[in-house]
């Protein structure tokens, strides 16, 4: 199993550009989520999904959209990038009750 | 919603000493408490977890204790080694279904082990 994969690993955007961060998992996990990590702020939940076709907002959802058309994929869209969205983004997946949450390798995004 | 506080934010110890990181949570319904280790430039990885029906759990040099009454749990690392240097995150979540999949994380502790 590849586990949780993310692409790209690094990305530089200009203010106002849009892009999609890709996330996929091959463990048939129902639950997937996106976090952003900023210095001193820990891991903050952006959006999550409890299954295909079901998404919900986390702690910091503004400026981001998600969709979950399949169990495997959970892309994160930045609609109009802003410098405040410069961060490291982690996708994660989880199966069932109290199981380990697996993280992807992360995407380092810089918005100029 | 759940709120997890983690202390200290930075911790520096000498190699061979013990390190303790403490977390408190607000929601008494939380019943699963994992600890993640994140090395520089890497993804967070689970190192140990504890469920609310257990007071303590050990795995070699690391242990976690849970006090449900006080709503706090702690990570203990004994005989620290330079490779223990990393950021450690605590987290909490409730049981099953719907939004109970969500983990709430503390802000992290940067542990530095000096040779």
């Amino acid at each position: 199993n590849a586990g949780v994969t993310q692409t790209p690993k690094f990305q530089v955007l200009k203010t106002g550009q849009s892009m999609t961060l890709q996330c996929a998992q091959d463990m048939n996990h129902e639950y997937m989520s996106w976090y952003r990590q900023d210095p001193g702020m820990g891991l903050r939940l952006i959006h999550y999904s409890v299954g295909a076709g079901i998404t919900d907002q986390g702690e910091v959802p503004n400026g981001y959209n998600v969709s979950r058309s399949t169990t495997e994929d959970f892309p994160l869209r930045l609609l109009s990038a802003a410098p405040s969205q410069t961060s490291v983004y982690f996708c994660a997946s989880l199966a069932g009750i109290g199981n380990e949450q697996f993280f992807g390798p992360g995407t380092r995004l810089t918005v100029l | 919603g759940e709120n997890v506080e983690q202390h200290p934010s930075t911790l520096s110890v000498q190699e061979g000493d013990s390190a303790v990181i403490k977390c408190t949570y607000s929601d008494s319904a939380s019943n699963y408490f994992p600890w993640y280790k994140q090395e520089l430039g890497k993804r967070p990885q689970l190192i140990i977890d504890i469920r609310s029906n257990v007071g303590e759990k050990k795995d070699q040099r690391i242990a976690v204790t849970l006090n449900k009454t006080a709503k706090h749990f702690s990570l203990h690392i004994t005989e620290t080694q330079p490779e223990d240097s990393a950021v450690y995150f605590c987290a909490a979540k409730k049981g099953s279904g719907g939004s109970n999949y969500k983990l709430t994380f503390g802000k992290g502790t940067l542990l530095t082990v000096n040779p």
Side-chain angles (χ1 to χ4, degrees), chain A residues 22-85:
Chain A
Q22 301 292 343
C23 174
Q25 53 92 9
D26 60 359
M27 298 174 283
N28 202 33
H29 287 174
E30 301 108 326
Y31 182 76
M32 296 184 73
S33 54
W34 277 101
Y35 296 87
R36 61 176 290 173
Q37 184 175 31
D38 304 293
M41 300 297 290
L43 293 156
R44 292 185 291 170
L45 183 65
I46 304 171
H47 285 286
Y48 66 97
S49 168
V50 299
I54 306 170
T55 63
D56 206 347
Q57 296 181 350
E59 183 184 353
V60 288
N62 292 343
Y64 307 94
N65 274 358
V66 291
S67 60
R68 184 96 180 271
S69 56
T70 67
T71 299
E72 295 77 19
D73 300 298
F74 191 43
L76 178 73
R77 297 183 190 82
L78 280 70
L79 309 174
S80 178
S84 60
Q85 294 178 305

Side-chain angles (χ1 to χ4, degrees), chain A residues 31 37 96 98 101 103-104, chain B residues 32 36 38 43 51 89 101-102:
Chain A
Y31 182 76
Q37 184 175 31
Q101 179 160 269
F103 285 86
Chain B
Y32 175 68
Y36 285 81
Q38 185 181 28
R43 71 189 83 186
R51 287 169 172 74
F89 292 97
Y101 280 119
K102 284 196 295 183

Side-chain angles (χ1 to χ4, degrees), chain A residues 5-22:
Chain A
T5 58
Q6 290 182 238
T7 56
K9 290 186 177 179
F10 301 94
Q11 183 70 49
V12 179
L13 293 178
K14 295 181 179 178
T15 297
Q17 287 185 314
S18 62
M19 79 158 294
T20 299
L21 279 62
Q22 301 292 343

Side-chain angles (χ1 to χ4, degrees), chain B residues 12-33:
Chain B
S12 181
V13 300
Q14 289 300 120
E15 183 176 359
D17 287 350
S18 295
V20 180
I21 303 170
K22 299 181 179 181
C23 289
T24 60
Y25 61 99
S26 61
D27 192 338
S28 57
S30 290
N31 61 10
Y32 175 68
F33 308 94

Side-chain angles (χ1 to χ4, degrees), chain A residues 71-108:
Chain A
T71 299
E72 295 77 19
D73 300 298
F74 191 43
L76 178 73
R77 297 183 190 82
L78 280 70
L79 309 174
S80 178
S84 60
Q85 294 178 305
T86 293
S87 188
V88 179
Y89 292 84
F90 287 100
C91 179
S93 74
L94 170 69
I97 303 165
N99 286 350
E100 178 179 353
Q101 179 160 269
F102 293 86
F103 285 86
T107 294
R108 184 173 294 275

